[in-house]
């Protein structure tokens, strides 16, 4: 008997039967654009071997005007079809199933040739779309149906028609963008004509057997978005037009509500899929912030959905399903929803990967094969750099001893997980703890390693991390460091935070909360961000707007650079951190010189004007420098340790770089 009988039970979608109810949702990785189809095929084949029931590819453009960016991948030529066949063949050989997503970006297409229902610019694009005429609409439908036919020719099991997230089809649905007065605009029946016609023509193009997934927006999270009645009406019409299954989309890309970031509660939107399910006669798939087999199983058990879509969790661990099915759920590398190596990379034009699993999208070039010559390896420091190196090296067959002077593994991740909205770091530390045990690493906690401890090893890895930078502010001995604060030191009501990097933002977040994190309480979180009910407010934005819980403290977050604090934060998550602190009334100041800390408060100069911030507590978050004392001592003795993570370079260090560097070193030890 499996632990997850609901997730792991088969399901039939139209004429296709899947062995389980896990769906790998669509993700743009950038792999297709490399032109290395062997690499694309291995990415998907690895996940097929890992047992996922069905995969959906990254979005493929049906035509150049619908591509998310110029040159976006699609099936335009016979060569494209042959390339995609490499992928489908490898997936099928591995026992998997795969559908191709057809993504027409409409006004989100990054280029002057973008098209939409009306010439209404999106707030997140510089381009005004061209309003399509009748012939232009027909061309888009034909191109989408042609893409579907080519997908079948390329060997896909079906397609997913992307109808959510504010893309082309979604744009026709709402008055916000669709201001037409012809047969494609006005009444909802007209506005929904395009998606329904697209589904009917795609079904006709593919024939009755192929899988047709329609991704429907259940809550737009934009002003004047769809109402719940409209969503249900569309779902039923799409079913009648030939969809085999409905997948869930949450929020347009331009929405100012986070929908997948780590501070979003797990399964925060599954209740909407549950509400749709009885309204239709085809299976429904739920999505967003579901990252464990326990949660996925419980959603299906509760009747909230027929299947569960998880996208990023399959970057973090391609073997998610097989581990869940074989009693090894604790070994599933958890997606912490950080976006740092996936979406942040994609939106910076870089190849996607995963903070937790640097092998994601590097399946062929970063290999952890068994070593022919096991060595005795010492790793000092059980932060993410040392942990990743230790478990990967031990997994390859080396004999690894891991030292840490602390009583637990995790290094700075143990501070990160104190921050409200960063609870996923608990799971990451737990996973590393499990993997240290399962890979047979010898763990020596509460032990400050010295050169003598390391004399007998064949290789020594120094991953001793960082220490806080000394900002040398007169009177700073009365200030607290971020380490004190996150370890629970008492902090006054009026606070100045010195340094507005990732840690300054996190410390401000920590200090602006009282009690439990709203991330653990979906109702409170939805209230704070102004998420209402699409049944009572179109688009699902609460009529009273965001209702953040008041901060127990007055906080000033400061930096020396004369620019907006928070510019260096994550590409796709920085706005969330800034908005969260703004909602809490945190005052953010750039261009600050720190003159002194006295009993009156923090003395600063800004624009040549001196001022005293009357605060009870000053917290130092002024960056960090490498902790290299052990590495230096070994080098002085003529040893040649490998130095990784913060001990190597502290500037712009994060867990992504630490894990990547640790894993890559382990691959060559
Ligand atoms: P560390 O994590 O500092 O680990 C070093 C370890 O070495 C420590 O456990 C220490 O006890 C041990 N050690 C040192 N000397 C010795 C010795 N002589 N003997 C034995 N043990 C020794 N990064 C992200 O990517 N995303 C985030 O969201 C994020 N949030 C953060 C939030 C906070 C509040 C903080 C503080 C950090 C955050 N980071 C985040 C940064 C990330 O945690 C660090 O970049 C990462 O932990 C550095 O990894 P490391 O292994 O190099 O060092
Ligand atoms: P950081 O991002 O480098 O920020 C350091 C801050 O200190 C900056 O605001 C800097 O701005 C200020 N500073 C630097 N030298 C100073 C000095 N001598 N005196 C006073 N202020 C000084 O470093 P961090 O906040 O310590 O974070 C460390 C790493 O952890 C970061 O690289 C980050 O990637 C990672 N992290 C990531 C996240 C995340 O959510 N992804 C969260 C937390 C941490 P000025 O020089 O302008 O004053
Ligand atoms: Fe998840 Fe972060 Fe990995 Fe993206 S980078 S898949 S969000 S853990």
């Amino acid at each position: 008997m499996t632990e997850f009988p609901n997730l792991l039970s088969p399901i039939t979608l139209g004429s296709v039967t899947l062995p389980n109810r896990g769906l790998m949702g669509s993700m743009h990785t950038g792999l297709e654009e490399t032109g290395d189809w062997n690499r694309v095929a291995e990415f998907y084949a690895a996940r097929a071997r890992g047992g996922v029931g069905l995969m959906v590819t990254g979005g493929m453009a049906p035509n150049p005007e619908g591509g998310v960016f110029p040159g976006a991948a699609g099936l335009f030529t016979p060569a494209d079809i042959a390339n995609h066949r490499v992928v489908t063949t490898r997936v099928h050989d591995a026992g998997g199933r795969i559908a191709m997503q057809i993504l027409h970006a409409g006004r989100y297409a990054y280029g002057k040739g973008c098209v939409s229902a009306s010439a209404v610019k999106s707030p997140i694009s510089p381009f005004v779309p061209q309003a399509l005429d009748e012939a232009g609409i027909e061309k888009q439908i034909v191109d989408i149906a042609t893409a579907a036919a080519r997908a079948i020719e390329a060997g896909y099991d079906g397609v997913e028609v992307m109808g959510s997230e504010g893309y082309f089809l979604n744009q026709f649905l709402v008055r916000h963008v669709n201001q037409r007065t012809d047969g494609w605009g006005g009444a909802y029946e007209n506005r929904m004509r395009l998606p329904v016609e697209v589904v009917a023509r795609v079904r006709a193009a593919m024939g009755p057997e192929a899988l047709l997934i329609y991704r429907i927006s259940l809550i737009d999270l934009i002003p004047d978005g769809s109402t719940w009645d409209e969503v249900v009406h569309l779902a039923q019409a799409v079913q009648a037009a030939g969809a085999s299954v409905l997948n869930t989309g949450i929020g347009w890309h331009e929405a100012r509500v986070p929908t997948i970031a780590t501070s979003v509660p797990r399964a925060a939107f599954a209740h909407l899929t549950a509400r749709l399910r009885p309204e239709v006669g085809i299976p429904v798939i739920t999505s967003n912030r579901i990252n464990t087999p326990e949660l996925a199983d419980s959603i299906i058990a509760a009747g909230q959905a027929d299947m569960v879509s998880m996208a990023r969790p399959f970057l973090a661990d391609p073997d998610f399903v097989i581990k869940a099915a074989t009693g090894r759920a604790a070994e599933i590398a958890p997606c912490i929803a950080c976006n740092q190596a996936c979406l942040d990379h994609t939106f910076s034009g870089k190849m996607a990967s995963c903070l937790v699993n640097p092998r994601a999208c590097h399946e062929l070039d970063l290999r952890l094969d068994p070593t022919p010559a096991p060595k005795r390896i010492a790793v000092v420091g059980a932060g993410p750099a040392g942990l990743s190196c230790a478990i990967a090296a031990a997994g390859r067959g080396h004999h690894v001893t891991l030292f840490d002077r602390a009583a637990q593994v995790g290094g700075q991740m143990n501070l990160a997980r104190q921050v409200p909205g960063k609870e996923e770091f608990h799971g990451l530390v737990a996973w590393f703890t499990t993997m240290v045990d399962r890979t047979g690493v010898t763990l020596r906690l509460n032990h400050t390693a010295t050169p003598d401890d390391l004399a007998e090893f064949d290789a020594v890895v120094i991953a001793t991390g960082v220490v806080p930078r000394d900002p040398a502010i007169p009177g700073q001995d009365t200030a607290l460091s971020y380490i004190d604060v996150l370890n629970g030191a008492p902090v006054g009501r009026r606070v100045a935070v010195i340094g507005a990097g990732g840690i300054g933002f996190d410390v401000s977040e920590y200090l602006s909360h009282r009690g439990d994190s709203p991330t653990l309480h979906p109702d409170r979180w939805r209230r704070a961000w102004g998420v209402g009910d699409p049944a009572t407010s179109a688009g699902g934005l609460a009529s009273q707007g965001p209702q953040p819980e008041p901060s127990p403290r007055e906080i000033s977050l400061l930096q020396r650079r004369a620019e907006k604090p928070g510019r260096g934060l994550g590409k796709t998550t920085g706005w969330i951190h800034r908005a969260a602190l703004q909602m809490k009334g945190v005052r953010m100041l750039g261009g600050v010189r720190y003159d002194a800390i006295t009993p009156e408060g923090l003395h600063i100069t800004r624009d040549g004007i001196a001022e005293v911030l009357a605060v009870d507590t000053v917290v130092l978050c002024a960056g960090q420098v490498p902790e290299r004392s052990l590495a230096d001592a070994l080098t002085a003795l003529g040893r040649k340790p490998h130095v990784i993570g913060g001990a190597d370079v502290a500037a712009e260090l994060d867990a992504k770089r630490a894990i990547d560097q640790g894993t890559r070193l382990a691959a060559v030890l």
Side-chain angles (χ1 to χ4, degrees):
M1 177 63 180
T2 158
E3 263 179 281
F4 310 109
N6 302 288
L7 175 64
L8 299 175
S9 65
I11 181 168
T12 299
L13 308 176
S15 54
V16 181
T17 298
L18 308 176
N20 60 64
R21 289 153 184 260
L23 174 94
M24 180 172 112
S26 174
M27 288 178 282
H28 181 82
T29 58
L31 279 169
E32 288 83 358
E33 282 79 13
T34 64
D36 182 347
W37 289 88
N38 188 34
R39 188 171 172 190
V40 184
E42 180 51 27
F43 171 77
Y44 287 109
R47 275 113 194 124
R49 289 194 296 273
V52 60
L54 174 67
M55 295 180 283
V56 180
T57 66
M60 294 294 142
N63 53 27
E65 62 268 33
V68 176
F69 52 87
L75 265 73
F76 304 125
T77 64
D80 288 337
I81 295 174
N83 289 334
H84 281 260
R85 203 172 284 124
V86 177
V87 176
T88 57
T89 304
R90 287 267 282 283
V91 167
H92 291 146
D93 287 351
R97 285 141 302 269
I98 185 164
M100 187 189 86
Q101 189 189 70
I102 304 175
L103 169 60
H104 190 309
R107 69 177 190 160
Y108 283 164
Y110 197 82
K112 284 189 181 138
C114 63
V115 297
S116 190
S118 304
V120 180
K121 193 181 90 62
S122 150
I124 57 169
S125 168
F127 303 105
V128 180
Q130 184 196 325
L132 288 163
D133 60 15
E134 191 78 30
I137 292 176
E138 175 61 18
K139 175 183 182 300
Q140 306 311 311
I141 299 172
V142 168
D143 288 348
I144 293 171
T146 305
R150 288 180 183 153
I152 300 304
E153 198 183 334
Y156 285 104
D157 297 282
V159 299
E160 175 172 89
V161 173
M162 181 41 146
S164 62
E165 264 55 20
Y167 288 117
F168 183 57
L169 302 182
N170 217 175
Q171 290 160 24
F172 268 71
L173 289 171
V174 300
R175 292 185 195 277
H176 188 72
V177 184
N178 184 344
Q179 298 173 356
R180 304 175 72 96
T181 52
D182 61 3
W184 302 95
Y188 190 65
E189 210 65 41
N190 288 351
R191 283 180 278 135
M192 74 174 201
R193 232 179 103 196
L194 179 67
V196 175
E197 183 67 18
V198 161
V199 170
R201 301 270 281 274
V202 164
R203 171 55 75 205
M206 294 195 303
E209 301 294 313
L211 196 56
L212 199 169
I213 310 166
Y214 184 80
R215 183 120 176 241
I216 185 169
S217 180
L218 296 190
I219 183 168
D220 293 335
L221 299 174
I222 54 157
D224 213 8
S226 293
T227 65
W228 185 252
D229 285 347
E230 290 171 346
V231 170
V232 172
H233 191 28
L234 175 66
Q236 291 168 345
V238 159
Q239 174 188 337
S244 336
V245 54
L246 290 167
N247 194 2
T248 295
I250 301 293
W252 287 35
H253 284 316
E254 65 205 55
R256 292 290 87 187
V257 176
T259 54
I260 59 166
T262 191
S263 56
V264 176
R266 287 180 175 180
F269 299 96
H271 63 291
L272 294 172
T273 319
R275 196 189 284 174
L276 181 67
R277 192 166 177 245
E279 305 280 0
V280 290
I282 51 177
V284 295
I285 306 171
T286 196
S287 76
N288 287 54
R289 285 292 282 117
I290 299 164
N291 63 347
T292 67
E294 289 82 0
L295 182 57
D297 193 75
S298 69
I299 286 171
I300 297 168
Q304 290 190 296
D306 300 282
M307 288 182 71
V308 173
S309 171
M310 295 171 276
R312 298 171 296 172
F314 287 101
L315 284 181
D317 199 330
D319 293 329
F320 185 103
V321 171
I322 214 165
K323 286 179 181 173
T326 53
R328 294 186 295 140
E331 291 179 29
I332 296 172
C335 165
I336 59 168
C338 64
N339 287 358
Q340 288 176 239
C342 51
L343 281 171
D344 285 354
H345 278 205
T346 301
F347 283 94
S348 315
K350 290 196 263 178
M351 172 71 65
S353 187
C354 174
L355 175 142
V356 175
N357 172 24
R359 294 199 65 230
C361 299
H362 295 276
E363 283 76 12
L364 293 175
D365 58 88
L366 175 53
R367 301 183 63 96
L368 296 171
D369 296 329
T371 176
K375 293 185 187 134
R376 288 164 306 158
I377 298 173
V379 179
V380 184
L387 282 165
S388 56
C389 186
I391 63 173
R396 292 188 57 218
H398 291 299
H399 306 292
V400 180
T401 303
L402 175 61
F403 296 89
D404 204 296
R405 64 186 173 202
Q408 56 182 342
V409 306
Q412 287 210 338
M413 294 188 292
N414 291 316
L415 297 175
R417 63 192 176 129
Q418 306 307 325
V419 178
K422 288 206 161 177
E423 290 77 11
E424 291 293 350
F425 273 95
H426 290 301
L428 186 53
V429 175
W431 175 74
F432 272 122
T433 307
T434 299
M435 295 313 291
V436 163
D437 177 51
R438 304 267 163 106
T439 56
V441 171
T442 303
L443 187 57
R444 294 194 59 189
L445 293 175
N446 300 306
H447 189 98
T448 300
T450 62
D452 283 350
D453 292 318
L454 308 172
E456 301 301 318
F457 290 91
D458 302 319
V460 173
V461 179
I462 299 297
T464 45
V466 289
V467 287
R469 175 185 283 128
D470 175 3
I473 301 169
Q476 69 180 23
D477 49 330
T478 59
L480 297 177
S481 85
Y482 62 88
I483 301 173
D484 305 322
V485 171
L486 294 171
N487 279 328
V491 174
R493 195 182 59 76
R494 300 166 307 166
V495 188
V497 176
I498 288 183
I503 292 179
F505 265 80
D506 275 355
V507 164
S508 301
E509 184 74 43
Y510 174 87
L511 293 173
S512 70
H513 284 265
R514 193 199 305 273
D516 247 8
S517 162
T519 298
L520 302 175
H521 300 275
D523 285 346
R524 279 172 50 200
W525 179 88
R526 282 194 283 266
R527 207 165 33 249
W529 283 95
V531 178
D533 185 343
T536 52
S537 60
L541 289 180
S543 52
Q544 65 275 32
Q547 305 265 290
E549 294 169 3
S551 167
R553 297 188 177 83
E554 281 169 27
I555 301 168
S556 299
L557 175 58
L558 314 171
Q559 72 179 23
R560 298 173 306 171
R561 259 164 299 162
E563 63 181 37
K564 219 165 95 183
R567 274 188 61 180
L569 298 175
K571 183 115 182 146
T572 61
T573 52
W575 69 272
I576 302 170
H577 293 296
R578 287 190 295 272
L581 293 191
Q582 271 155 9
M583 289 199 295
K584 294 284 194 169
V586 173
R587 187 175 170 219
M588 298 182 217
L589 299 178
V592 174
R593 192 183 78 201
Y594 311 111
D595 298 324
I597 300 168
T598 69
E600 285 73 52
L602 175 64
H603 298 247
I604 62 170
T605 301
R606 222 162 45 105
D607 296 331
I609 300 167
E611 106 179 70
V612 183
L613 301 181
V615 295
D616 309 307
T617 310
V618 174
V619 185
L620 302 177
C621 304
Q624 323 186 51
V625 293
E627 164 55 279
R628 292 185 67 104
S629 51
L630 182 57
D632 291 345
L634 289 168
T635 307
L637 292 169
R639 308 278 309 266
K640 289 202 173 89
H642 302 275
V643 184
I644 59 172
D648 178 27
V649 179
E652 294 180 13
L653 169 74
D654 59 12
K656 178 181 77 171
R657 173 151 64 78
I659 292 173
D660 187 74
Q661 203 180 6
T663 309
R664 284 179 191 278
L665 173 61
V668 295
L669 279 173

